[in-house]
């Protein structure tokens, strides 16, 4: 449509100055203008009788002017124009402020529409400064997002001109439109701005929401479909039962189901591309181990990538134990190796002697080579970008890919963000886990909390205290980790072994402190949220969170997940002096549920998707009209439709898909430049 894409300056009433205001709103040309959807609508089509108009209600009245506007001089710069208007049911007094032009344009005995808030009382009703339109304007009126100097009405005037330019063109093939009951694009665009009734508006919205999610899904699938090409890796036998039999515990049903889903992928010649989501402690590691085991028994190598050294070390220890019975050669590629040690490991990897390697992003360095990489596992996926995930895959010839995440993301978001991944969920904790006892308390409980911590430290346990900020600032009562650490070491916890952990430390320093905590050289760790990533310290049983109202629910849930990992009873204490009912309700959700997905859903409702992934961060286009909390049904349909299209025509080369191809290229243009893929 490039030939038709006129600049915003082309439209009547848009000069250089106004164009700049449009730019501010992200409107540059016909295309961005026509896709600048109204924020809301005024209903000028529903006429309220004057006698039925309720005081304080905003409504549209259709009435005849029965007295000429009379000028009342109040003071300089304040002139009122008063007149009466009447419909069959009654009379209303209208007042206009300083609007001589409008007052003079009204004709006695003519009928007009008046839109505004009704004031006065039931005997004498009034409207102050209503909007006034001719009766032909009985319609649903668009209200646009505005900027200083550019009113919604002004935008409406320009959009009205653009409507005449909409070509009779539709990028969505007719068969998909029919299947999903979508109206043509042209009428959708007309009706999203100027619907004749609410049914038309709904059908326009349905179409545009579907379209938005459909293009997004298609783009994601298309951008990432490289990994979908066939793999030469041949996993022919499933050894997972053999592995499972040797475990010291019984797997949960959810773990077994997820293993089965993954093995189903492994046995095909299309590489697995799967996200396993499971709450902290749901037992993802053993699932990964089972799959590594089967892949290795089939003669291939496997790699597990963790976001930090400590996590990599912990995985190494765990996997070594889990795979003890099978003589699989495991190595840890850690940052603390000497050059010589490292080069020997690399040699054994490229020679195929090492069958399973665990490491940090050191694994994706250029000098790391595999003989026959069959499976790549990335843990705590949200810490890695799509690019890093891809880099490790590229070390093999289309290896199977397993992504593990402990951040329960609402399913809607997961579908969008991981559009290319199949999703398995471990929605069950191993038997016998005691839920972490959670309390919301006020800060006057500090003394008791300190004593509670001391009691547990004396019997050999450890505790976390989390604060929202690193340094003191002028934000009043917010507790900062640094000054809190100093205060506690000199005061309440004098003589105890305290540690301080925050994001401004260098990674090596952070790891050092975490390691000391793991080794029990630190009893009480005072920290900002940097401890979020899944380090396992089963001996830590208390999690205190200061200024808990400052955190999102999902974040609180992640923090709470640091305790309750061993056999000891564990506690999470949320400290907040907030009086805000909504905040307290939010915090109390933490006391009543331990289900990370429920919590994530609440968070999405309360705070929007930004908390999970800033859209900038993951490089997805913004959604203009679809709502991720409400449109999940449409999202599923759109995802299925996108998959259908690509199954039929992977490169979008067919004539009927030309339009789709163009739309997707447009949508992802920017993102590709950002290295989205
Ligand atoms: P996460 O999903 O957070 O990565 P882990 O894999 O670290 O969880 O598992 C947490 C703990 O639960 C580990 O100590 C592990 O040995 C144990 N575990 C895993 N699965 C089971 C099970 N089915 N029964 C009992 N304990 C289990
Ligand atoms: Mg884990």
């Amino acid at each position: 449509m490039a030939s038709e894409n006129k600049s915003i300056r082309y439209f009547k009433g848009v000069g250089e100055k106004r164009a700049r205001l449009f730019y501010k709103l992200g409107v540059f040309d016909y295309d961005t203008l026509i896709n600048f959807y109204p924020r809301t609508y005024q209903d000028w089509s529903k006429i309220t009788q004057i006698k039925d108009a309720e005081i304080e209600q905003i409504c549209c009245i259709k009435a005849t002017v029965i007295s000429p506007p009379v000028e009342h001089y109040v003071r300089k710069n304040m002139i009122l124009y008063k007149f009466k208007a009447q419909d069959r049911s009654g009379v209303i007094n209208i007042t206009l402020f300083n609007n001589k032009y409008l007052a003079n344009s009204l004709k006695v005995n003519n009928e007009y529409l008046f839109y505004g808030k009704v004031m006065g009382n039931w005997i004498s009703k009034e409207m102050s400064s209503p909007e006034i339109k001719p009766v032909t304007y009985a319609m649903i009126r668009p209200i646009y997002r505005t900027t200083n100097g550019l009113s919604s009405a002004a935008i409406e005037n320009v959009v009205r001109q653009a409507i005449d330019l909409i070509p009779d063109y539709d990028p969505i093939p007719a068969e998909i439109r029919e299947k999903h009951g979508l109206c043509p694009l042209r009428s959708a665009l007309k009706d999203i701005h100027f619907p004749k009734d609410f049914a038309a508006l709904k059908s326009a919205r349905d179409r545009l929401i579907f379209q938005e999610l459909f293009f997004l899904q298609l783009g994601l699938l298309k951008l990432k479909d490289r990994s979908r090409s066939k793999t030469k890796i041949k996993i022919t036998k499933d050894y997972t039962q053999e592995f499972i039999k040797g475990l010291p515990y019984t797997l949960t049903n959810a773990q077994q189901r997820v293993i089965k889903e993954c093995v189903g992928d492994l046995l095909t010649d299309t590489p697995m591309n799967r996200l396993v989501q499971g709450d902290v402690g749901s037992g993802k590691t053993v699932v990964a181990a089972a799959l590594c085991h089967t892949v290795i028994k089939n003669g291939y190598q496997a790699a597990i990538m963790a976001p930090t050294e400590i996590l990599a070390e912990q995985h190494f220890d765990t996997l070594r134990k889990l795979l003890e019975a099978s003589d699989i050669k495991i190595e840890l590629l850690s940052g603390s190796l000497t050059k010589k040690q490292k080069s020997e490991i690399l040699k054994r990897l490229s020679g195929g002697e090492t069958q399973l390697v665990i490491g940090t992003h050191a694994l994706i360095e250029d000098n790391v080579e595999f003989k026959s990489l069959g499976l790549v596992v990335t843990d705590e996926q949200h810490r890695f970008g799509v690019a890093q995930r891809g880099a490790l895959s590229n070390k093999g010839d289309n290896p199977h890919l397993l992504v593990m995440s402990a951040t329960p993301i609402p399913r809607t978001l997961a579908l969008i963000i991981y559009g290319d991944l199949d999703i398995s969920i471990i929605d069950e904790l191993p038997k016998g886990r005691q839920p972490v006892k959670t309390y919301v308390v006020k800060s006057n409980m500090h003394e008791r909390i300190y004593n509670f911590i001391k009691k547990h430290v004396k019997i050999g346990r450890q505790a976390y205290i989390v604060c929202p900020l690193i340094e003191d600032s002028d934000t009043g009562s917010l507790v900062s980790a640094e000054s809190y650490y100093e205060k506690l070491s000199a005061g309440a916890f004098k003589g105890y072994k305290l540690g301080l952990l925050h994001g401004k430390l260098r990674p090596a320093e952070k790891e050092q402190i975490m390691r000391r905590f793991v080794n029990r050289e630190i009893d009480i760790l005072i920290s900002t949220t940097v401890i979020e990533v899944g380090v396992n310290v089963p001996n830590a049983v208390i999690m205190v969170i200061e200024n808990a109202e400052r955190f999102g629910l999902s974040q609180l849930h992640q923090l709470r997940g640091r305790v309750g990992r061993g056999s000891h009873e564990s506690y999470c204490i949320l400290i907040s002096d907030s009086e805000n009912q909504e905040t307290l309700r939010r915090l109390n959700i933490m006391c009543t549920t331990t289900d990370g997905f429920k919590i994530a859903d609440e968070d999405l409702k309360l705070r929007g998707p930004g908390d999970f992934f800033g859209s900038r961060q993951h490089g997805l286009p913004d959604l203009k009209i679809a709502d991720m909390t409400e449109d999940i049904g449409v999202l599923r349909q759109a995802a299925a439709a996108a998959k259908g299209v690509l199954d039929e025509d992977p490169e979008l080369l067919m004539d009927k898909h030309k339009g789709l191809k163009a739309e997707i290229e447009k949508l992802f243009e920017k993102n590709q430049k950002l290295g989205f893929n």
Side-chain angles (χ1 to χ4, degrees), residues 284-285 315 379-380:
K284 294 182 289 296
T285 318
H315 277 326
D379 192 19
E380 301 297 342

Side-chain angles (χ1 to χ4, degrees), residues 249-252 255 278-286 315 318 322 379-380 404 406 426 430-431 433 534 536 565:
Y249 43 73
T250 327
L251 290 183
T252 62
Q255 283 171 318
D279 225 334
V280 276
S282 60
K284 294 182 289 296
T285 318
V286 67
H315 277 326
T318 311
L322 287 171
D379 192 19
E380 301 297 342
M404 302 198 291
I426 308 183
K431 275 201 198 69
R433 279 291 157 77
N536 197 18
R565 300 173 77 91

